[in-house]
Amino acid sequence: MEKRSFLKGLALNIVLSFGALCLFYGSLIPVLNEVYFSASGDGLQSYVNMQYHIRYDDSYLWCRSMNYPYGEHIFYTNCQPLISNTIKLLDGLGIDLSGYTTGIVNGLLILSVALASVLLYLIFAELGVGWVTGALAGAGIAFLSPQLDRFGGHLSLAYVCAIPWFIYLLMRFSRNHKWGLSVLISITALASALTHIYLFAFLILMLLVYYAGEAITRRKTGTGQYKWLFHLMLQIIVPLTVLWLFTLTDPVTDRPAHPWGFLYYRAYPQSVFLPLAMPYGRFLARIVPTHYIDWEGYAYVGAVASVATLVLLWKFFRNLAGGRMQNLWRVSPDRTMNLLFWASVLALLYSFGIPFIFGLERWVDYTGPLQQLRGIARFSWIYFYVMNIVAFSGLWHNRDKGKKKTLPVLLLILAVIILFIDAYVWVRNRAEGLQNPVAVLREPDVFRTGRIRPGDYQAIIPLPFFHIGSENIWVTAGCNSETRSLITSEQTGLPSMAVLLSRTSLDQSMNSIGLMLDLSQGAVDRLHLPSDKPLLLVVPACAGLDQNAKQLIAHAQRLDSTGHCKYYALPARAFTLIYDSIAHEVLKAYQPEKLYPVGEGYCDDSLKRVVFLNVNDIPSITALAGAGGYSGMEKRDNILFEGSLPGGDTLHTYVASFWMGCIRTDLYPRTVLEFTEHDTNGNVVQQWKEQVFRRIVMIDGDRALVESLFRILHPANTIRISIMNRQLGKKHLPADELLIRISTVTFYTEVPGGVRMNNRFYPSRTSE
């Protein structure tokens, strides 16, 4: 393309891009520093963590906004280190931009759409596409990007220009293997990793496929056979090494190695090639099954790219049947684009869960660090960009082939029109959901007037409590607790004991969560707060507080309230006081002479509707209490109890509880608990399964009390309670102290040093 045409196309593309930004996002531009694109969840977490890190952290590598008193490595906090640490560094040099962090992040996200459009135009120019088509298609593809859906959540994944930049860099590098470009690719790889690890993975995949093609080509021609290896080392090995050195600054050694959801957060052919998420395509959900597709799996490539995919499939099989192997892999006259296309196909198939969905789920355990990239649907984004580039460049180059030139030109015009319709429908109302005024979210009075002085407290405890990030146990909150906690932290500079992070230390997680469940001696002993200052309870208006939350409030002093929530001061020793108080009441209530003996214990039920199995007759090195314990294997249906229940009560709810060990070890909390009820003929009349972590009610050291409720359908029926965990390999599943009782019945056993009530231990002597 001649320079004049190129500049005209560039000008047209820029006018279109920024015009579209003003049209669709214009209402946001004057208030970029005054709104959050998300008022909850990961999006709000990212804003707050960045603000907190810049203003209050004394380290560039550690963020203390959450997971108090431990904090978290910046790599796992969505802090966007490149942006937040740059602002933090400038602040140290006397240039204070901290008050503009929100505006900087929002502005970069919106600007990235226009940059993506320009980069796509440059890619089309490299492929020899005409300036009008390139300018229009570039803008249309950018505003159809599936990454626009991340503006309201995963901010660091929402940089629309990232993948087009990768493609353009690779195309430029393939034209001329300059060392300057190679260094730029290396810097891009590292910057991607420090923005979001998925962006880094996208670039690495594209580079690996590109260099695989280089290796094959060089071997055939025998020219420059080894020079490309040095470029590969600079572009891939060097960033990986720097990233590895960066991870060495993380002292945590027990991060989860097997995140949940690898084959759940995946894409499907219908979620990629059908407009299921578009207003005009929603009727398809009544025809095509979609109920099993998570929102992460939607990444519509657009109508043009979907049709182009079918055309390429038809050409592929036609060439295969005709034996035209030289044409089999060609989708473009450009060699680099061919390589990138097949890289995108591999990424697309991987986003579908291939090959693991073909009965090879266990292979996921052998993928090493790839398991950490559990949102595999995101890999389909590469296909979105490459397929649209291939489609429109192909339509351009086919316009003057053959005798009939009118039809190809009309097809090209129609494709551009359809692309613009798709993009318009996709982007038209997005700005409305991004306008969450910061001033409205913040508390207007309590902290500004000094009624509550943040310096008087050491940390925040939100109630309901939440802890999301360990990949082994999820404690979700209701009543807008996450939002209120995050906003309070941003306003006051107080860290939170709650967690909304990723790959959080399992040991730290159990320590924090254990304090919010039924308290154990072990949970209290592991609490090491760095200050004697009280804790600030942040309690939104909520009717769903559990008994443990109410207990904390009962031991706290009410400070103030607003339209959003109430605030309380909780003494640092409150957990110890609560546990000692409960222990005192249990010991006071335990009077064997007034109870009914049942095996090795006593209950307050004359009908003795209790089953207690301490398994002391089975010697075990993994015994959790007493001399014995059950130790099952992961592949077996490990039966903890099977039989009929004494009293066979169908009117009351039963409670089944047992202690499970190794609770601080990855995957153990995701053990599956199964309940089955059989009638007298052996038929299954009731059955359910759930993961153990959902029923943990107490954590004591390395073991957890699992408690589940059920009702039986007939007094003569038998029940079976079993556990299984197929992900543990050949490791053992230790369990002990099975107790089944009517929910209104209290059961006691005497043990060395104290008493167990309903499977909970309380020592005979409490703290002074």
Side-chain angles (χ1 to χ4, degrees), residues 275-297:
L276 297 172
M278 304 289 260
Y280 64 81
R282 287 174 186 160
F283 75 95
L284 293 170
R286 297 193 293 267
I287 304 170
V288 181
T290 60
H291 62 277
Y292 46 78
I293 304 176
D294 183 77
W295 74 273
E296 284 266 15

mmCIF file of all heavy atoms in Angstrom, residues 275-297:
data_model
loop_
_atom_site.group_PDB
_atom_site.id
_atom_site.type_symbol
_atom_site.label_atom_id
_atom_site.label_comp_id
_atom_site.label_asym_id
_atom_site.label_seq_id
_atom_site.Cartn_x
_atom_site.Cartn_y
_atom_site.Cartn_z
ATOM 1 N N PRO A 275 -24.681 -16.368 18.267
ATOM 2 C CA PRO A 275 -24.869 -15.102 18.997
ATOM 3 C C PRO A 275 -25.786 -15.259 20.211
ATOM 4 O O PRO A 275 -26.760 -14.525 20.383
ATOM 5 C CB PRO A 275 -25.487 -14.190 17.934
ATOM 6 C CG PRO A 275 -26.259 -15.124 17.070
ATOM 7 C CD PRO A 275 -25.457 -16.395 17.010
ATOM 8 N N LEU A 276 -25.455 -16.203 21.084
ATOM 9 C CA LEU A 276 -26.322 -16.509 22.223
ATOM 10 C C LEU A 276 -26.403 -15.354 23.210
ATOM 11 O O LEU A 276 -27.414 -15.188 23.900
ATOM 12 C CB LEU A 276 -25.806 -17.768 22.939
ATOM 13 C CG LEU A 276 -25.824 -19.055 22.109
ATOM 14 C CD1 LEU A 276 -25.109 -20.167 22.856
ATOM 15 C CD2 LEU A 276 -27.253 -19.462 21.793
ATOM 16 N N ALA A 277 -25.323 -14.584 23.317
ATOM 17 C CA ALA A 277 -25.306 -13.464 24.266
ATOM 18 C C ALA A 277 -25.776 -12.161 23.630
ATOM 19 O O ALA A 277 -25.833 -11.134 24.311
ATOM 20 C CB ALA A 277 -23.893 -13.282 24.830
ATOM 21 N N MET A 278 -26.112 -12.204 22.349
ATOM 22 C CA MET A 278 -26.576 -11.003 21.657
ATOM 23 C C MET A 278 -28.102 -10.939 21.737
ATOM 24 O O MET A 278 -28.781 -11.976 21.700
ATOM 25 C CB MET A 278 -26.141 -11.040 20.187
ATOM 26 C CG MET A 278 -24.648 -11.210 19.986
ATOM 27 S SD MET A 278 -23.729 -9.741 20.452
ATOM 28 C CE MET A 278 -23.455 -9.009 18.854
ATOM 29 N N PRO A 279 -28.652 -9.744 21.821
ATOM 30 C CA PRO A 279 -30.115 -9.625 21.937
ATOM 31 C C PRO A 279 -30.864 -10.334 20.814
ATOM 32 O O PRO A 279 -31.895 -10.965 21.054
ATOM 33 C CB PRO A 279 -30.338 -8.107 21.890
ATOM 34 C CG PRO A 279 -29.069 -7.522 22.412
ATOM 35 C CD PRO A 279 -27.983 -8.436 21.922
ATOM 36 N N TYR A 280 -30.343 -10.270 19.594
ATOM 37 C CA TYR A 280 -31.063 -10.870 18.476
ATOM 38 C C TYR A 280 -30.887 -12.385 18.403
ATOM 39 O O TYR A 280 -31.554 -13.062 17.610
ATOM 40 C CB TYR A 280 -30.623 -10.238 17.150
ATOM 41 C CG TYR A 280 -29.173 -10.465 16.783
ATOM 42 C CD1 TYR A 280 -28.755 -11.655 16.203
ATOM 43 C CD2 TYR A 280 -28.219 -9.472 16.995
ATOM 44 C CE1 TYR A 280 -27.425 -11.855 15.856
ATOM 45 C CE2 TYR A 280 -26.896 -9.663 16.665
ATOM 46 C CZ TYR A 280 -26.501 -10.856 16.093
ATOM 47 O OH TYR A 280 -25.182 -11.059 15.756
ATOM 48 N N GLY A 281 -29.982 -12.931 19.228
ATOM 49 C CA GLY A 281 -29.740 -14.369 19.164
ATOM 50 C C GLY A 281 -30.179 -15.137 20.391
ATOM 51 O O GLY A 281 -29.955 -16.345 20.491
ATOM 52 N N ARG A 282 -30.820 -14.448 21.326
ATOM 53 C CA ARG A 282 -31.185 -15.127 22.565
ATOM 54 C C ARG A 282 -32.235 -16.216 22.368
ATOM 55 O O ARG A 282 -32.346 -17.129 23.179
ATOM 56 C CB ARG A 282 -31.674 -14.095 23.590
ATOM 57 C CG ARG A 282 -30.525 -13.255 24.150
ATOM 58 C CD ARG A 282 -31.002 -12.145 25.049
ATOM 59 N NE ARG A 282 -29.874 -11.298 25.439
ATOM 60 C CZ ARG A 282 -29.986 -10.059 25.894
ATOM 61 N NH1 ARG A 282 -31.191 -9.513 26.005
ATOM 62 N NH2 ARG A 282 -28.923 -9.362 26.222
ATOM 63 N N PHE A 283 -33.022 -16.116 21.297
ATOM 64 C CA PHE A 283 -34.027 -17.148 21.042
ATOM 65 C C PHE A 283 -33.368 -18.504 20.785
ATOM 66 O O PHE A 283 -33.995 -19.557 20.979
ATOM 67 C CB PHE A 283 -34.889 -16.760 19.831
ATOM 68 C CG PHE A 283 -34.190 -16.926 18.505
ATOM 69 C CD1 PHE A 283 -34.345 -18.089 17.751
ATOM 70 C CD2 PHE A 283 -33.352 -15.929 18.014
ATOM 71 C CE1 PHE A 283 -33.699 -18.243 16.531
ATOM 72 C CE2 PHE A 283 -32.697 -16.077 16.802
ATOM 73 C CZ PHE A 283 -32.866 -17.237 16.058
ATOM 74 N N LEU A 284 -32.078 -18.471 20.381
ATOM 75 C CA LEU A 284 -31.382 -19.723 20.105
ATOM 76 C C LEU A 284 -31.199 -20.569 21.362
ATOM 77 O O LEU A 284 -31.032 -21.789 21.280
ATOM 78 C CB LEU A 284 -30.005 -19.430 19.495
ATOM 79 C CG LEU A 284 -30.003 -18.807 18.095
ATOM 80 C CD1 LEU A 284 -28.596 -18.338 17.719
ATOM 81 C CD2 LEU A 284 -30.514 -19.809 17.070
ATOM 82 N N ALA A 285 -31.239 -19.916 22.532
ATOM 83 C CA ALA A 285 -31.089 -20.656 23.785
ATOM 84 C C ALA A 285 -32.244 -21.619 24.003
ATOM 85 O O ALA A 285 -32.121 -22.577 24.784
ATOM 86 C CB ALA A 285 -30.992 -19.681 24.957
ATOM 87 N N ARG A 286 -33.379 -21.404 23.314
ATOM 88 C CA ARG A 286 -34.511 -22.333 23.410
ATOM 89 C C ARG A 286 -34.337 -23.519 22.487
ATOM 90 O O ARG A 286 -35.075 -24.506 22.590
ATOM 91 C CB ARG A 286 -35.814 -21.596 23.084
ATOM 92 C CG ARG A 286 -36.142 -20.478 24.058
ATOM 93 C CD ARG A 286 -37.573 -19.994 23.883
ATOM 94 N NE ARG A 286 -37.767 -19.333 22.593
ATOM 95 C CZ ARG A 286 -37.641 -18.023 22.403
ATOM 96 N NH1 ARG A 286 -37.309 -17.235 23.427
ATOM 97 N NH2 ARG A 286 -37.832 -17.488 21.214
ATOM 98 N N ILE A 287 -33.357 -23.419 21.583
ATOM 99 C CA ILE A 287 -33.129 -24.492 20.608
ATOM 100 C C ILE A 287 -31.844 -25.249 20.924
ATOM 101 O O ILE A 287 -31.796 -26.476 20.869
ATOM 102 C CB ILE A 287 -33.048 -23.896 19.180
ATOM 103 C CG1 ILE A 287 -34.313 -23.095 18.872
ATOM 104 C CG2 ILE A 287 -32.820 -24.994 18.154
ATOM 105 C CD1 ILE A 287 -34.213 -22.286 17.593
ATOM 106 N N VAL A 288 -30.807 -24.482 21.276
ATOM 107 C CA VAL A 288 -29.485 -25.054 21.546
ATOM 108 C C VAL A 288 -29.257 -25.112 23.056
ATOM 109 O O VAL A 288 -29.487 -24.119 23.746
ATOM 110 C CB VAL A 288 -28.379 -24.189 20.882
ATOM 111 C CG1 VAL A 288 -27.004 -24.789 21.143
ATOM 112 C CG2 VAL A 288 -28.635 -24.062 19.388
ATOM 113 N N PRO A 289 -28.820 -26.251 23.592
ATOM 114 C CA PRO A 289 -28.569 -26.345 25.045
ATOM 115 C C PRO A 289 -27.495 -25.351 25.491
ATOM 116 O O PRO A 289 -26.423 -25.262 24.896
ATOM 117 C CB PRO A 289 -28.080 -27.793 25.225
ATOM 118 C CG PRO A 289 -28.566 -28.529 24.025
ATOM 119 C CD PRO A 289 -28.572 -27.528 22.904
ATOM 120 N N THR A 290 -27.802 -24.596 26.531
ATOM 121 C CA THR A 290 -26.837 -23.610 27.043
ATOM 122 C C THR A 290 -26.745 -23.616 28.566
ATOM 123 O O THR A 290 -25.915 -22.898 29.127
ATOM 124 C CB THR A 290 -27.237 -22.186 26.606
ATOM 125 O OG1 THR A 290 -28.535 -21.892 27.130
ATOM 126 C CG2 THR A 290 -27.262 -22.049 25.094
ATOM 127 N N HIS A 291 -27.573 -24.406 29.244
ATOM 128 C CA HIS A 291 -27.661 -24.320 30.697
ATOM 129 C C HIS A 291 -26.351 -24.662 31.394
ATOM 130 O O HIS A 291 -26.119 -24.244 32.523
ATOM 131 C CB HIS A 291 -28.769 -25.250 31.216
ATOM 132 C CG HIS A 291 -28.528 -26.693 30.924
ATOM 133 N ND1 HIS A 291 -28.846 -27.266 29.696
ATOM 134 C CD2 HIS A 291 -27.988 -27.690 31.672
ATOM 135 C CE1 HIS A 291 -28.523 -28.551 29.722
ATOM 136 N NE2 HIS A 291 -27.996 -28.827 30.900
ATOM 137 N N TYR A 292 -25.487 -25.420 30.726
ATOM 138 C CA TYR A 292 -24.224 -25.839 31.347
ATOM 139 C C TYR A 292 -23.069 -24.892 31.020
ATOM 140 O O TYR A 292 -21.937 -25.127 31.413
ATOM 141 C CB TYR A 292 -23.854 -27.252 30.897
ATOM 142 C CG TYR A 292 -23.986 -27.484 29.407
ATOM 143 C CD1 TYR A 292 -23.015 -27.019 28.519
ATOM 144 C CD2 TYR A 292 -25.084 -28.152 28.888
ATOM 145 C CE1 TYR A 292 -23.136 -27.217 27.158
ATOM 146 C CE2 TYR A 292 -25.216 -28.361 27.522
ATOM 147 C CZ TYR A 292 -24.248 -27.897 26.661
ATOM 148 O OH TYR A 292 -24.380 -28.096 25.313
ATOM 149 N N ILE A 293 -23.335 -23.811 30.308
ATOM 150 C CA ILE A 293 -22.275 -22.884 29.909
ATOM 151 C C ILE A 293 -22.153 -21.772 30.951
ATOM 152 O O ILE A 293 -23.111 -21.043 31.206
ATOM 153 C CB ILE A 293 -22.544 -22.272 28.522
ATOM 154 C CG1 ILE A 293 -22.734 -23.375 27.472
ATOM 155 C CG2 ILE A 293 -21.397 -21.353 28.114
ATOM 156 C CD1 ILE A 293 -23.090 -22.851 26.090
ATOM 157 N N ASP A 294 -20.986 -21.643 31.552
ATOM 158 C CA ASP A 294 -20.735 -20.543 32.464
ATOM 159 C C ASP A 294 -20.527 -19.264 31.652
ATOM 160 O O ASP A 294 -20.136 -19.302 30.478
ATOM 161 C CB ASP A 294 -19.483 -20.840 33.300
ATOM 162 C CG ASP A 294 -19.203 -19.771 34.330
ATOM 163 O OD1 ASP A 294 -19.894 -19.757 35.356
ATOM 164 O OD2 ASP A 294 -18.298 -18.947 34.087
ATOM 165 N N TRP A 295 -20.774 -18.103 32.284
ATOM 166 C CA TRP A 295 -20.631 -16.838 31.556
ATOM 167 C C TRP A 295 -19.221 -16.663 31.007
ATOM 168 O O TRP A 295 -19.015 -15.994 29.986
ATOM 169 C CB TRP A 295 -21.007 -15.666 32.457
ATOM 170 C CG TRP A 295 -19.992 -15.323 33.504
ATOM 171 C CD1 TRP A 295 -19.884 -15.847 34.742
ATOM 172 C CD2 TRP A 295 -18.923 -14.381 33.377
ATOM 173 N NE1 TRP A 295 -18.814 -15.314 35.412
ATOM 174 C CE2 TRP A 295 -18.204 -14.401 34.600
ATOM 175 C CE3 TRP A 295 -18.488 -13.524 32.366
ATOM 176 C CZ2 TRP A 295 -17.091 -13.604 34.827
ATOM 177 C CZ3 TRP A 295 -17.379 -12.727 32.606
ATOM 178 C CH2 TRP A 295 -16.696 -12.766 33.812
ATOM 179 N N GLU A 296 -18.225 -17.268 31.673
ATOM 180 C CA GLU A 296 -16.845 -17.193 31.175
ATOM 181 C C GLU A 296 -16.714 -17.802 29.786
ATOM 182 O O GLU A 296 -15.808 -17.467 29.031
ATOM 183 C CB GLU A 296 -15.908 -17.934 32.136
ATOM 184 C CG GLU A 296 -15.586 -17.199 33.416
ATOM 185 C CD GLU A 296 -14.300 -16.396 33.302
ATOM 186 O OE1 GLU A 296 -13.832 -16.186 32.179
ATOM 187 O OE2 GLU A 296 -13.784 -15.988 34.346
ATOM 188 N N GLY A 297 -17.593 -18.727 29.453
ATOM 189 C CA GLY A 297 -17.459 -19.464 28.201
ATOM 190 C C GLY A 297 -17.936 -18.736 26.964
ATOM 191 O O GLY A 297 -17.729 -19.208 25.841
#
